[in-house]
Amino acid sequence: MYDNTRRPGAATCAAARGTGYAGGVNASVVFNPFVPSYRRNPYLQLDRLRAADPVHRSDVLQSWILTRYEDVLRVTRDHQTFSSDARVATGQLAAALSEQRSNSPLGDTRSLLASDPPEHTFLRGIVNRAFTPRSVEQLRPRMEQIAESLLDEAPDDGEWDLVEGLAQPLPVIVIAELLGIPPEDRARFKTWSAHIALTTDIMQSEDTLETIRGAMDELVEYFEGFIADRRAHPREDLISALVLAENEGRRLTGPEVVAFATLLLVAGNETTTNLIGSGMRALLAHPEAMAALRAAPERIPAAIEEMLRYDGPVQGIVRIATARTTIGDRQIEAGEVVMGMTGAANRDPAQFPDPATFDIDRADTRHLAFGQGIHYCVGAPLARIEAAIAFRMLLDRWPTIEAAGDAEIGGTFLIRGPVRLPLAIRR
Ligand code: HEM
């Protein structure tokens, strides 16, 4: 997904560069995520695909594209058949990954997201010790302070960009504080985070690859110094906890701590930014829902679950088949890439009645926006708290919030959300 150590995009799209066409086994179905309209609304194509060819072989992505809820759920739960470790891939992907690894400053070090058991079990054990729901809940007052001070910069009345003003800085500052990064280093942190998040793009130019590599090199160097300092002088922060935590009698190595810190940086920032941005877009399009939340703010957590289902920040998860298997009536070979489109699964009418309707009272909230199974999002409690704080404060401060122009949608094939969302706000 959003991991520098597993980059299906760069690897799988070489064949597609310049073609612009995504044909498949079922020749009548065209799936083309490269057209500009896909960014504005991927669900039109994904809905069509689910109806016509739910287990779709995409030549251009050199992957299987799954759009049914039950198939995506199965892939996330069956980690034996569907690996998160790209080293088991075959063909072009394997070759590209091996080249990438030899260039990576982290070498062969696996991150949590890109590993399978038993390695994943060990890493997750450490993380679960250091990153508990309780430790996250303890941060709530500090998160509220950060959000307050960001909102203090917004005008009482006027135009204001939600992304620039709140959705982007809030998660960056929270993660930086959680890790123990000093305030003076935050600006660099934000830039690295944005650059490394480009790894989820399915089409990467040489310039983009260069930008990503540059950011990775700088970040790794920064973290190495930082981690050495915390080893010698532990403090009350997540990096110290990661350095000290033990599981099965073993501690994380230096590169493993760096890999995890990098993962948090990318995983925790763009995604939470997108949740706040896309969530607000949904409320702007559904004023009755916004009014209901103003009248009863205790309904905000349920509304956030619906935001995650309706237009989630992470659109898909990536796995590699470890053995020949079937999904639906299609045969998948060992080493082939499978993309479980969580965004499409969350709009599967077989699971969610009337799925294109934004309904904050929806009874079934079993969306797949945070994944499922052993890789279920570590940061889900944190993201939920941040989003709840953001929406509560926004609605509380400004009795009028309206769109002030079009949102600009950014992100990549697998991560989606507004990069600019101008609002007209009035007290
Ligand atoms: C709304 C915000 C977020 C969304 C939608 C989201 C989504 C996801 C998804 C779908 C996965 C599963 C990936 C897979 O199965 O391949 C995942 C894993 C992960 N997420 Fe998040 N995430 C969010 C916020 C965060 C935050 C705030 C953090 C940390 C501060 C975080 C850290 C992680 C980590 C470390 C993993 C890997 C877990 C593992 O492999 O065991 N995420 N996330």
Side-chain angles (χ1 to χ4, degrees):
M1 195 185 53
Y2 31 44
D3 186 9
N4 61 294
T5 56
R6 196 184 60 190
R7 202 150 41 78
T12 52
C13 286
R17 283 176 215 281
T19 67
Y21 168 72
V25 168
N26 182 341
S28 62
V29 185
V30 174
F31 178 61
N32 185 354
F34 304 111
V35 292
S37 60
Y38 190 88
R39 178 160 286 190
R40 281 197 300 281
N41 182 0
Y43 305 110
L44 290 174
Q45 281 205 52
L46 292 169
D47 285 347
R48 267 205 303 266
L49 203 56
R50 192 190 316 96
D53 192 21
V55 183
H56 176 74
R57 178 68 203 172
S58 165
D59 291 341
V60 77
L61 296 172
Q62 291 183 22
S63 317
W64 292 94
I65 308 291
L66 311 183
T67 41
R68 278 191 303 223
Y69 183 92
E70 63 174 307
D71 294 335
V72 179
L73 185 63
R74 174 181 155 209
V75 163
T76 54
R77 287 199 171 151
D78 182 359
H79 58 265
Q80 268 160 348
T81 314
F82 300 101
S83 165
S84 290
D85 184 343
R87 285 175 296 187
V88 304
T90 52
Q92 230 180 343
L93 176 61
L97 281 162
S98 124
E99 189 203 323
Q100 189 187 322
R101 264 203 313 280
S102 56
N103 288 333
S104 163
L106 291 174
D108 241 349
T109 308
R110 301 280 86 199
S111 84
L112 189 62
L113 189 65
S115 62
D116 292 331
E119 206 174 347
H120 178 268
T121 320
F122 163 72
L123 292 172
R124 185 86 189 207
I126 296 263
V127 172
N128 288 348
R129 278 176 173 73
F131 203 86
T132 60
R134 210 173 123 249
S135 66
V136 169
E137 187 54 47
Q138 280 168 352
L139 281 175
R140 186 188 281 270
R142 180 66 194 128
M143 289 191 249
E144 284 170 344
Q145 265 175 12
I146 298 168
E148 286 273 7
S149 65
L150 289 167
L151 293 183
D152 286 344
E153 302 289 313
D156 282 352
D157 291 272
E159 199 179 307
W160 176 69
D161 179 6
L162 174 71
V163 178
E164 192 192 350
L166 180 73
Q168 198 189 54
L170 176 65
V172 179
I173 299 173
V174 170
I175 293 274
E177 288 208 357
L178 196 74
L179 291 170
I181 306 296
E184 61 272 20
D185 293 338
R186 263 186 222 148
R188 284 198 284 165
F189 221 66
K190 200 169 124 184
T191 311
W192 292 330
S193 161
H195 288 171
I196 294 170
L198 296 171
T199 51
T200 58
D201 211 340
I202 44 175
M203 298 287 270
Q204 290 164 347
S205 66
E206 262 314 307
D207 283 355
T208 309
L209 286 173
E210 208 36 61
T211 307
I212 295 169
R213 267 184 230 124
M216 271 303 291
D217 286 345
E218 285 175 32
L219 183 70
V220 168
E221 198 187 324
Y222 178 85
F223 272 138
E224 278 169 356
F226 193 76
I227 288 163
D229 176 73
R230 292 304 195 263
R231 256 189 223 289
H233 314 283
R235 295 203 203 158
E236 285 289 309
D237 57 38
L238 185 59
I239 290 282
S240 304
L242 287 171
V243 165
L244 296 177
E246 243 180 61
N247 189 17
E248 299 158 9
R250 167 154 108 74
R251 286 187 177 175
L252 293 183
T253 63
E256 281 169 344
V257 179
V258 175
F260 184 66
T262 311
L263 174 60
L264 280 188
L265 184 63
V266 182
N269 287 347
E270 303 296 307
T271 49
T272 311
T273 299
N274 292 348
L275 172 58
I276 296 171
S278 297
M280 178 54 85
R281 275 187 85 211
L283 292 184
L284 293 170
H286 299 87
E288 71 297 341
M290 194 177 324
L293 297 183
R294 284 188 193 285
E298 67 280 5
R299 296 172 69 189
I300 288 175
I304 288 171
E305 296 313 305
E306 179 64 350
M307 292 168 186
L308 285 158
R309 182 200 70 81
Y310 181 74
D311 195 10
V314 175
Q315 287 284 306
I317 53 112
V318 184
R319 297 291 188 269
I320 322 290
T322 55
R324 176 180 289 179
T325 185
T326 52
I327 304 179
D329 57 2
R330 291 293 165 82
Q331 186 164 297
I332 316 287
E333 298 299 332
E336 286 185 335
V337 180
V338 176
M339 297 205 190
M341 303 308 292
T342 46
N346 288 339
R347 286 187 176 224
D348 184 346
Q351 179 68 23
F352 300 104
D354 212 358
T357 300
F358 180 72
D359 175 7
I360 60 172
D361 294 319
R362 195 173 278 282
D364 187 351
T365 55
R366 285 172 299 167
H367 60 72
L368 301 180
F370 288 122
Q372 260 292 331
I374 61 168
H375 291 279
Y376 182 81
C377 178
V378 168
L382 183 64
R384 285 180 166 127
I385 294 178
E386 282 182 58
I389 290 173
F391 284 105
R392 213 193 54 238
M393 287 189 178
L394 285 164
L395 298 179
D396 196 43
R397 271 191 190 221
W398 289 285
T400 303
I401 300 179
E402 287 162 355
D406 286 341
E408 191 185 320
I409 308 299
T412 62
F413 178 53
L414 296 177
I415 295 199
R416 163 183 167 75
V419 288
R420 211 176 81 82
L421 186 54
L423 299 179
I425 48 180
R426 270 196 307 281
R427 291 234 197 208

